[in-house]
Amino acid sequence: MSASGNRSSPSSCPDLIRASTTSVAAEKQDVDGRVKPGHDRIFKRRSVRIASAIGVALVVFTTAFATWVVSLGPLPLEQARKVSTSIVDRNGKLLRAYAMEDGRWRLPVDAKTAVDPGYLKLLLAYEDRRFYEHGGIDPLALGRAALQLATRGHIVSGGSTITMQLARLMEPRRERSVYAKLRQMVRAVQIERQLSKDRILDLYLALAPFGGNLEGIRAASIAYFGKEPKRLSLAEAALLVALPQSPERRRLDRYPQAAHAARDRVLDRMVEDGIVSNDDAIQARAVPVPRLRKPMPILAPHSSDAAVATVKDQPVIKLTLDATLQRTLEALARDRAIAQGPNISIGMIAVDNESGDVLARVGSSDYFDDRRAGQVDMTRALRSPGSTLKPFIYGLAFEDGFVHPDSLIDDRPIRFGSYAPENFDMTFQGTVPIRKALQLSLNVPAIALLDRVGASRLSSRLKQAGGSLVLPKDEAPGLAMGLGGVGVTLQDLAQLYAGFPRLGTTKPLREIMTAKDDREPMRLMDQAAAWQVGNVLIGTPPPENGVHGKIAFKTGTSYGYRDAWSVGFDGRITIAVWVGRPDGAPVPGLVGRTAAAPILFDAFARTGKIPAALPKPPKSVLLASNAKLPLPLRRFRPVGELIRTGADQAPHIQFPLNGSRIDVERSADGQSAAMPVKVAGGVLPLTMMINGISVGEIDSRRQRLVDPPGPGFARLTVIDATGAADTVVIRVQ
């Protein structure tokens, strides 16, 4: 049966027998080491299927990943670059910063120039020691973080590079997940491709959180230490490294103990890594952490407000101010205003003579004092200038050539129509030199000279030089403007007075630095006249706190004791001071000499520099005592005393005509031919002057040949024995 059963099996299950036989045969062939062709094709087919599946999976994954990366959009660099508007001085020092729209303080940072290298060393050693080597992701740091998580059961370090942290700061998210970490890694690579390492570090140092509304190392250093982060102690640097890791839980004004502990952990780690010595770390640990925030700096608030209103969408606005001088004058104004009494404010402005740059502007004694209207900028307010315009009257009189600083003038009661000026002390000095009349600020001589010069001419000349004078409505320039009957600002007075040490030219004031300076000088008066005014004013008796002969200055007091002024200059700088009530109320006893002049001299003393000498006299200046002056220049006579009767007439220059152009012939050796001058009228002797210098007398025929001055404009003046004069301006070519 067994045999029959075995024989019948193949016939009953032929397929099974064939499969079994084939399998056995295959096994035998495999054992023999032979490869059957059918088996090879199956293996290859399976390998292709697996490879294809892997390839498809990779393509799908890559496509999906690329699609996700694209969906992230471009880096929000523009948003990250937004910072608080900063106002800096001429040397880059911070004057004032304005918080961003959401109230955050974020200041731009240049790590190479504005941050302590010691802090940067600690930061990179603690946060990202291979910062300059990786491309945004540090595999070693990620591996270390994973190993620490596996061995300790909790996150010890995140493995994030500074670039990854910057990515998180640019796109803040609360969750800590694999997805968030992956997003940071992608963004970090993108950042590294678009920005240099230095720029990445700058952005990180500007965006890193330090608690509250403080972002960036500059804002934190100023708020916590009251200084820029350019020079930090080890304790300060370690604290600033520790705070961004948990800024709210380590806020110095709320959790100083936590901040202290975090700082010490940074120091311990730096000792372990050999970055900091143990002795230095011990000393740093002993330093307490600050517990209160300091206010952000607010220097030159009025100038800053004006700059922000003028310059739009610029993160850093550079002014011409000098932060040190600005701080000094602000303190001086605050102290002196308190001494002057309640409701009194003080305005000051300092100008560089050569450039016309504003070096300091104090708009009020206290920006935040409402009782003194602190936010009103008194350097730009229109006020009555008192006697401060008198030097310009004298300057034009010197320019016209009918007076000299040593000429004599009468200070006595006189009437100009219905106007009868009086001196401040209600007394008269009699006959005095012009020099003394200006130094004592006598009113009658000034008005007598203005009557001769012409109020309209004075007004137009000052406007030509940049001074914006404001007259009462529908009123023409009159003699009263010589004693303050006009409105002017402190900054305009400073610009005009700077024209004296500049020898007759002014320059528009500049307060905002620009790449191109296209300001042109403006004419105030002749060089000789400007020098003579400065030479007279430097001899004015100074206040008790001043030194004689160092500062040329003038004071002024407006009608009703509403404004006290003092403007002074040396060879380098011009300073103008105003004292009074911003609301224009009178202050009994408020006088320029006692209220403003002492502040002016204190301001010069606090510049920290020795007063610079005034310029040397130009060649055209006539240096002579009264006795050696030409007869008509020895004494000034008002216009009323020059009225003549009969044949006597005032001198009149018939040739050359005023405004004419004279072509001077020159010989082969370069000598110029003499120029004839013809005069009609006048009482002999007639004195001829060219550019303020006497060239002799004109004979009875009333004509004279004179050597023409060099090419350019020249002023010819003829004065008769009574002091009557005529002047023409010609152009020699």
Side-chain angles (χ1 to χ4, degrees):
M1 290 184 62
S2 169
S4 62
N6 291 335
R7 286 194 299 268
S8 62
S9 292
S11 59
S12 60
C13 299
D15 293 336
L16 179 61
I17 292 173
R18 282 195 299 270
S20 175
T21 305
T22 302
S23 174
V24 171
E27 288 178 2
K28 289 180 179 180
Q29 287 180 349
D30 289 342
V31 171
D32 294 340
R34 301 173 183 175
V35 178
K36 193 174 183 179
H39 177 75
D40 183 55
R41 287 194 298 272
I42 294 173
F43 179 78
K44 287 183 179 180
R45 194 177 302 118
R46 288 177 180 175
S47 300
V48 169
R49 289 196 190 107
I50 295 173
S52 299
I54 294 174
V56 170
L58 286 174
V59 170
V60 171
F61 175 79
T62 303
T63 303
F65 183 77
T67 303
W68 174 69
V69 171
V70 172
S71 70
L72 296 180
L75 286 170
L77 290 175
E78 289 302 318
Q79 186 68 25
R81 290 190 177 106
K82 289 185 178 180
V83 293
S84 302
T85 300
S86 302
I87 312 297
V88 300
D89 80 338
R90 64 192 304 112
N91 300 311
K93 293 182 180 179
L94 183 65
L95 295 170
R96 184 181 184 182
Y98 292 82
M100 300 175 68
E101 293 180 357
D102 55 5
R104 288 176 296 164
W105 294 102
R106 181 196 292 174
L107 303 178
V109 180
D110 185 347
K112 282 189 173 181
T113 61
V115 180
D116 192 314
Y119 164 80
L120 295 177
K121 184 179 180 180
L122 288 187
L123 174 69
L124 296 180
Y126 194 80
E127 293 286 354
D128 191 356
R129 65 180 60 188
R130 285 175 290 276
F131 172 70
Y132 288 102
E133 301 168 9
H134 60 67
I137 303 171
D138 187 353
L140 294 178
L142 290 175
R144 183 195 67 236
L147 180 62
Q148 291 173 339
L149 176 62
T151 56
R152 303 189 187 184
H154 62 88
I155 296 177
V156 177
S157 61
S160 294
T161 63
I162 282 181
T163 314
M164 291 172 64
Q165 294 180 48
L166 174 59
R168 185 179 71 248
L169 295 172
M170 292 170 65
E171 296 178 323
R173 281 174 169 75
R174 291 184 177 275
E175 75 275 7
R176 297 186 66 179
S177 62
V178 174
Y179 171 80
K181 183 66 69 174
L182 181 61
R183 184 186 182 99
Q184 291 174 24
M185 294 168 67
V186 171
R187 286 304 204 190
V189 173
Q190 292 176 330
I191 291 172
E192 291 277 352
R193 288 181 176 179
Q194 294 190 35
L195 302 177
S196 66
K197 288 290 187 180
D198 290 342
R199 188 64 186 126
I200 291 171
L201 189 58
D202 290 345
L203 270 180
Y204 171 79
L205 293 176
L207 296 177
F210 284 86
N213 63 346
L214 297 177
E215 290 188 358
I217 186 173
R218 285 187 65 202
S221 181
I222 292 171
Y224 293 142
F225 309 133
K227 64 179 182 180
E228 292 278 1
K230 198 167 186 177
R231 287 181 176 82
L232 298 171
S233 67
L234 177 60
E236 293 168 342
L239 179 61
L240 292 177
V241 169
L243 292 181
Q245 297 173 8
S246 186
E248 293 306 317
R249 294 181 181 179
R250 298 173 183 176
R251 281 185 58 169
L252 294 176
D253 54 346
R254 294 184 180 179
Y255 311 107
Q257 294 84 1
H260 193 288
R263 181 200 67 182
D264 289 352
R265 285 195 295 273
V266 171
L267 291 171
D268 293 341
R269 167 91 169 273
M270 294 299 98
V271 171
E272 291 177 5
D273 294 347
I275 306 298
V276 174
S277 69
N278 188 50
D279 291 341
D280 291 341
I282 292 174
Q283 293 180 4
R285 291 190 199 98
V287 178
V289 299
R291 294 172 176 264
L292 296 175
R293 282 177 52 169
K294 295 177 173 57
M296 299 299 283
I298 305 183
L299 275 177
H302 300 91
S303 297
S304 299
D305 289 345
V308 169
T310 302
V311 181
K312 304 293 185 181
D313 301 325
Q314 189 168 319
V316 179
I317 303 175
K318 191 171 187 177
L319 303 185
T320 61
L321 305 183
D322 181 276
T324 303
L325 181 60
Q326 179 71 31
R327 182 180 292 105
T328 298
L329 296 190
E330 284 187 12
L332 175 62
R334 183 167 50 251
D335 295 343
R336 293 298 181 268
I338 294 173
Q340 292 283 350
N343 305 319
I344 297 293
S345 188
I346 294 175
M348 278 191 281
I349 185 169
V351 176
D352 181 77
N353 295 336
E354 181 178 358
S355 65
D357 288 348
V358 178
L359 300 179
R361 183 192 295 270
V362 181
S364 66
S365 55
D366 189 340
Y367 184 75
F368 297 102
D369 191 339
D370 293 335
R371 292 182 309 164
R372 304 177 193 269
Q375 296 191 18
V376 177
D377 187 352
M378 297 311 300
T379 66
R380 293 182 170 94
L382 276 175
R383 310 291 292 204
S384 169
S387 298
T388 56
L389 296 184
K390 287 178 181 176
F392 305 101
I393 299 173
Y394 283 81
L396 292 184
F398 295 152
E399 180 182 283
D400 288 345
F402 58 80
V403 291
H404 181 274
D406 289 301
S407 300
L408 298 178
I409 191 169
D410 289 333
D411 178 34
R412 57 181 174 79
I414 191 173
R415 183 174 293 275
F416 299 88
S418 60
Y419 182 49
E422 295 177 333
N423 288 321
F424 184 78
D425 59 1
M426 306 302 290
T427 64
F428 296 94
Q429 300 293 318
T431 302
V432 295
I434 288 286
R435 183 184 304 275
K436 185 175 181 180
L438 178 54
Q439 292 172 349
L440 297 181
S441 194
L442 301 178
N443 290 341
V444 173
I447 297 303
L449 293 176
L450 179 58
D451 186 49
R452 185 77 168 270
V453 167
S456 295
R457 180 162 171 255
L458 172 66
S459 177
S460 63
R461 183 64 69 86
L462 295 183
K463 288 183 179 180
Q464 174 185 321
S468 299
L469 306 183
V470 179
L471 291 162
K473 187 177 181 180
D474 300 327
E475 186 171 318
L479 297 180
M481 69 180 296
L483 302 182
V486 68
V488 70
T489 64
L490 188 67
Q491 66 177 8
D492 282 352
L493 270 184
Q495 177 177 321
L496 291 172
Y497 268 78
F500 293 125
R502 285 176 57 88
L503 293 182
T505 63
T506 63
K507 203 167 186 181
L509 300 187
R510 181 179 70 158
E511 195 167 14
I512 299 175
M513 284 281 197
T514 54
K516 183 180 179 181
D517 184 6
D518 53 3
R519 295 172 297 158
E520 294 294 335
M522 299 176 291
R523 182 172 181 265
L524 176 64
M525 61 184 63
D526 286 351
Q527 286 190 356
W531 183 87
Q532 287 173 320
V533 172
N535 181 257
V536 171
L537 293 181
I538 203 168
T540 303
E544 293 181 357
N545 64 328
V547 179
H548 189 276
K550 298 295 184 181
I551 306 298
F553 77 105
K554 183 72 182 71
T555 61
T557 305
S558 67
Y559 177 77
Y561 302 100
R562 289 175 169 82
D563 308 274
W565 306 79
S566 187
V567 189
F569 55 89
D570 63 5
R572 181 183 61 89
I573 190 174
T574 296
I575 300 178
V577 178
W578 172 89
V579 182
R581 288 184 53 151
D583 59 4
V587 181
L590 186 71
V591 179
R593 181 165 184 82
T594 58
I599 299 175
L600 174 72
F601 276 77
D602 273 348
F604 271 100
R606 297 191 185 191
T607 62
K609 296 182 180 179
I610 299 174
L614 294 179
K616 295 180 180 180
K619 294 181 179 179
S620 58
V621 172
L622 175 60
L623 300 174
S625 63
N626 182 268
K628 294 184 179 180
L629 289 174
L631 183 60
L633 279 180
R634 295 178 186 177
R635 187 182 188 93
F636 170 76
R637 298 182 186 277
V639 175
E641 296 184 9
L642 302 179
I643 298 177
R644 301 157 191 274
T645 60
D648 291 341
Q649 296 180 355
H652 173 65
I653 300 176
Q654 293 182 318
F655 184 86
L657 297 177
N658 187 39
S660 62
R661 185 168 56 187
I662 307 298
D663 293 320
V664 177
E665 296 182 0
R666 300 182 183 275
S667 61
D669 59 357
Q671 295 294 323
S672 300
M675 180 179 66
V677 177
K678 297 181 180 180
V679 181
V683 177
L684 296 175
L686 299 174
T687 302
M688 181 73 193
M689 303 181 71
I690 298 180
N691 294 331
I693 299 178
S694 175
V695 294
E697 295 183 354
I698 297 178
D699 58 24
S700 57
R701 295 179 301 170
R702 287 178 166 75
Q703 60 184 359
R704 179 185 175 93
L705 293 175
V706 298
D707 293 330
F713 289 97
R715 188 179 70 256
L716 309 182
T717 303
V718 173
I719 308 174
D720 73 358
T722 66
D726 188 28
T727 299
V728 298
V729 177
I730 63 173
R731 183 174 183 177
V732 179
Q733 58 183 24

